[in-house]
């Protein structure tokens, strides 16, 4: 028996001209956009190969992070198709691939590190003292990475 | 000059406000160097007015970022380098001597866009340029000969693929992919640059996505990575060496330093005052002006 292998792509959705804004579309809307892009770029074969495994696992509208799963063998079709997505709903969007991993766990490990890097800039942009204390507290929390991965995994399941 | 990790070679020159947005999005996507392109439709002067036969070439303009975006860049710990480039469309093989004009040489990078097989041959064989870019959105009207392309590659010239137009609609996308595959096959996957050619921020993609896009153009992963990373570095080096000759270190007199690079002097004098104290303690004497010159030069040439 051979395990069925997947790949997971962690992407950030950038909306040009609107920094730190949130996005308001659902998993199904994103799924349909990706599917449409695969059809237009890789045709019937592409969608046939990926139809079983393609899924949007996670979407965070606040931080604009999405996680997409597909079969490993045909994953290059997904990564090349999301480049051509320009519009979802009313948003003009740019997909920025942050990481491609073999499991959800690895992707979230990367995501935590990625967010930790943004702490210094967050601290600088804080207006009030209370905000600064909050950021400092979350930096201390972040040092214990193992618990935070667990918390994120719990949230999804 | 610190060399960039990722570089976008073609951002269309526009009004300052638009460029501003473009550069801001480019930094957000992870580019460390952007090159603002100026298109020159023809090298030929206008025939009607004999007195005004000189072509109007606007000197390279620098877009200064405002304080707010500089602050946001600093907080993220990012740097961005801005260079200028001019692309001249070659309609016939006359007038190519004008490429040596002082106005054109003021630009950091010189590119040509040949439109016929004659001009393409000329560009590959003799012209002193850094980049040859073909219009991939329409059918190339001539055969790309392997010998010519390998000759150009041996002279250090790179070929450009613009992906920006491919994102807009499907007929253009087909044309760009077919032409790019043709070009990549003819160059044996070497000396390829992938750049955006973006007019709007939405046409930009992050370097990692561009590498994925490179796989659609018939490059493998490492070759596609070279197309946004290593080859860009080679082009910048080629552009520098075009103005001088083959060299390792450039020595410049301080008095000839450009006004925008004055900060180097100031930074160095601060460093010098610190090291002076050290050297006084040790009681050593250094040949200061010489050292100053060479250190500055090495900073400039890195």
């Amino acid at each position: 028996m051979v395990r069925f292998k997947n790949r997971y792509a962690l992407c950030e959705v950038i909306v040009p001209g609107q920094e730190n804004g949130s996005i308001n579309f659902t998993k199904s809307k994103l799924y349909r956009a990706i599917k449409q892009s695969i059809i237009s770029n890789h045709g019937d074969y592409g969608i046939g190969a990926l139809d079983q495994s393609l899924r949007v696992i996670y979407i965070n509208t606040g931080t604009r992070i999405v996680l997409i799963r597909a079969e490993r063998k045909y994953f290059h079709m997904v990564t090349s198709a999301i480049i051509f997505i320009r519009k979802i709903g009313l948003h003009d969007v740019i997909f920025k691939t942050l990481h491609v991993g073999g499991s959800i766990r690895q992707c979230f490990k990367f995501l935590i590190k990625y967010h930790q890097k943004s702490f210094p800039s967050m601290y600088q942009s804080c207006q009030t003292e209370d905000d600064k204390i909050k950021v400092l507290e979350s930096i201390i929390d972040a040092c214990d990475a193992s618990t935070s991965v667990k918390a994120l995994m719990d949230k999804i399941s | 000059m610190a060399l960039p990790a990722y570089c976008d070679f073609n951002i269309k020159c526009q009004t300052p406000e638009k460029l501003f947005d473009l550069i801001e999005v480019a930094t957000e996507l992870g580019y460390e160097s952007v090159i603002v392109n100026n298109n020159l439709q023809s090298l030929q002067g206008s025939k009607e007015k004999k007195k005004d036969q000189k072509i109007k070439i606007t000197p390279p303009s620098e877009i200064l970022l405002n304080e707010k975006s500089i602050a946001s860049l600093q907080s993220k710990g990012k740097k961005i380098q801005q260079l200028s480039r001019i692309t001249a469309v070659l309609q016939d093989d006359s007038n190519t001597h004008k490429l040596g004009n002082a106005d054109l040489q003021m630009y950091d990078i010189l590119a040509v866009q040949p439109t016929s097989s004659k001009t393409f041959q000329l560009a590959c064989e003799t012209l002193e340029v850094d980049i040859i870019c073909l219009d991939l959105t329409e059918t190339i009207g001539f055969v790309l000969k392997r010998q010519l392309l390998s000759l150009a590659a041996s002279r250090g010239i790179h070929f450009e693929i613009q992906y920006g137009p491919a994102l807009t609609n499907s007929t253009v996308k087909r044309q760009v992919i077919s032409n790019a595959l043709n070009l990549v096959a003819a160059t044996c996957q070497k000396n390829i640059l992938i750049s955006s050619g973006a007019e709007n921020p939405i046409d930009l993609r992050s370097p990692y996505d561009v590498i994925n896009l490179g796989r659609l153009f018939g490059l493998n992963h490492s070759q596609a990575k070279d197309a946004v990373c290593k080859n860009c570095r080679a082009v910048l080096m080629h552009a520098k060496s075009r103005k001088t000759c083959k060299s390792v270190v450039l020595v410049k007199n301080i008095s000839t330093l450009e006004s925008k690079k004055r900060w180097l002097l100031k930074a160095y004098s601060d460093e010098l005052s610190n090291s002076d104290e050290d050297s006084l303690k040790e009681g050593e004497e250094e040949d200061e002006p010489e050292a100053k010159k060479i250190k500055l030069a090495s900073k400039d040439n890195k």
Side-chain angles (χ1 to χ4, degrees), chain B residues 27-194:
Chain B
T27 47
E28 200 179 333
L29 288 172
Y31 287 104
E32 286 188 16
S33 177
V34 290
I35 290 167
V36 179
N37 185 23
N38 227 339
N39 244 332
L40 191 66
Q41 277 312 315
S42 135
L43 280 173
Q44 215 166 7
S46 57
K47 280 177 184 172
E48 293 164 5
K49 297 173 191 169
K50 280 194 176 176
K51 280 178 186 174
D52 303 329
Q53 261 203 346
K54 274 189 179 176
I55 346 152
K56 273 189 183 173
I57 298 165
T58 47
S61 58
E62 199 161 11
I63 309 300
L64 295 171
L65 299 173
N66 64 12
E67 284 177 4
K68 193 185 158 196
S69 55
I70 286 172
S72 73
L73 274 181
Q74 271 176 348
S75 66
K76 282 172 197 162
K78 283 178 183 171
K79 287 185 277 186
I80 190 141
Q81 180 194 19
Q82 197 186 126
L83 294 166
S84 61
R85 153 188 163 171
I86 193 153
T87 307
V89 180
L90 295 180
Q91 251 121 20
D92 50 18
D93 47 1
S94 60
N95 288 315
T96 47
H97 61 277
K98 283 180 183 166
L99 286 173
N101 258 0
D103 286 342
L104 282 175
Q105 294 292 332
M106 263 166 71
Y107 283 85
D108 289 320
I109 288 159
L110 198 59
V112 288
Q113 186 183 331
T115 50
S116 65
S117 67
K118 228 178 188 180
T119 49
F120 182 68
Q121 190 175 358
L122 193 71
C124 285
E125 278 175 351
T126 50
L127 289 184
E128 279 289 317
V129 291
D130 306 313
I131 301 171
I132 294 175
C133 59
L134 297 162
D135 189 9
L136 299 178
T137 55
E138 286 159 20
T139 43
I140 305 172
F142 47 90
V143 183
L144 299 173
K145 282 181 193 163
R146 222 169 235 217
Q147 291 162 333
L148 273 180
L149 288 155
S150 62
L151 180 68
S154 67
R155 292 175 63 224
I157 295 172
H158 285 70
F159 296 89
E160 189 192 31
I161 298 172
Q162 287 181 25
Y163 65 83
L167 302 174
T168 50
N169 75 46
S170 86
T171 44
V172 177
K173 194 197 294 173
R174 279 173 206 175
Q175 198 68 54
V176 168
I177 288 175
S178 98
N179 282 332
L181 282 173
N182 190 2
L183 181 67
V184 166
T187 51
C188 307
Q189 289 96 25
K190 280 172 195 161
N191 285 33
I192 295 281
L193 288 175
I194 304 180

Side-chain angles (χ1 to χ4, degrees), chain A residues 99-113:
Chain A
H99 183 75
V100 174
S103 67
I104 300 179
R105 196 189 170 80
Q106 286 300 322
C107 284
F108 279 123
K109 262 189 191 170
F110 173 85
L111 185 60
I112 286 163
K113 271 187 190 166

Side-chain angles (χ1 to χ4, degrees), chain A residues 67-84:
Chain A
L67 186 65
I68 303 159
R69 182 194 76 178
E71 195 186 338
R72 189 180 66 165
K73 203 172 172 186
Y74 306 104
F75 195 70
H76 62 98
M77 287 189 188
V78 180
T79 48
S80 56
I82 57 174
I83 300 166
F84 293 99

Side-chain angles (χ1 to χ4, degrees), chain A residues 12 14 16-17 19 37 40-42 64 76 79-80 82-87 92-100 120-121 124, chain B residues 24-25 28-30 71-72 74-76 78 164 166-168 173 177 200-206 208-210 212-213 215-216:
Chain A
E12 187 181 355
I14 294 171
E19 231 179 89
S37 178
S40 67
N41 287 300
H42 299 291
R64 297 174 298 170
H76 62 98
T79 48
S80 56
I82 57 174
I83 300 166
F84 293 99
I85 298 174
R86 286 162 66 88
K87 213 162 197 182
D92 282 341
V93 293
I94 301 174
F95 272 78
K96 179 188 175 188
T97 314
L98 299 175
H99 183 75
V100 174
S121 66
Q124 278 192 348
Chain B
E24 234 176 38
V25 173
E28 200 179 333
L29 288 172
S72 73
Q74 271 176 348
S75 66
K76 282 172 197 162
K78 283 178 183 171
L167 302 174
T168 50
K173 194 197 294 173
I177 288 175
N200 300 313
I202 193 114
D203 292 335
L204 284 168
R205 289 294 179 271
S206 73
Y208 197 91
D209 289 319
V210 174
N212 283 330
L213 193 67
R215 298 187 72 173
L216 289 187

